Amino acid sequence: CRVLKGMSGIRLCTESRSLSDETLLRSSETTIQTLADLDSFNNPESECALLKCALVWLGLCPVDYIQDDDWKMQSIQPFLQKFCQREGENDVGLEIISSS
């Protein structure tokens, strides 16, 4: 997990690697730009679902906002700035890569 300057939104990536030589077997990636992009956090079949769920339950944004039609299209950026303690910095992104 790292905070990146010059980026906006959240990049989530999951990788599955071989135990013997760490060869990449498969991966999935998604980018979060709006609250609606987190809507599938409780669907285990969605891309990067476990990472989305972790962000929601760590307090990135209220669950109610994700499911509210008035909030869904809201940019993730203000929530991300507060979450990363970078309020006032518009060009801050978050990258999370999970390997197993």
Side-chain angles (χ1 to χ4, degrees), residues 2-100:
R2 64 183 177 162
V3 175
L4 298 172
K5 197 143 178 71
M7 177 185 157
S8 66
I10 304 169
R11 178 180 174 259
L12 302 176
C13 181
T14 59
E15 301 176 340
S16 182
R17 296 191 171 269
S18 168
L19 290 174
S20 60
D21 61 2
E22 296 188 23
T23 303
L24 183 63
L25 302 174
R26 65 184 162 275
S27 68
S28 68
E29 185 176 322
T30 191
T31 302
I32 309 297
Q33 295 291 336
T34 66
L35 294 177
D37 295 330
L38 288 170
D39 195 30
S40 61
F41 78 94
N42 59 355
N43 177 359
E45 295 180 2
S46 76
E47 295 290 319
C48 304
L50 189 57
L51 295 176
K52 290 177 188 176
C53 187
L55 285 170
V56 170
W57 291 110
L58 284 171
L60 174 65
C61 63
V63 176
D64 297 345
Y65 286 17
I66 296 169
Q67 299 167 342
D68 186 315
D69 289 336
D70 293 332
W71 279 94
K72 265 187 181 178
M73 296 317 295
Q74 171 77 30
S75 170
I76 199 71
Q77 209 59 33
F79 300 97
L80 181 59
Q81 290 167 341
K82 185 174 181 182
F83 185 76
C84 294
Q85 299 176 351
R86 301 288 177 104
E87 293 178 80
E89 296 181 42
N90 293 325
D91 64 342
V92 173
L94 184 65
E95 178 182 61
I96 302 173
I97 301 172
S98 171
S99 295
S100 62

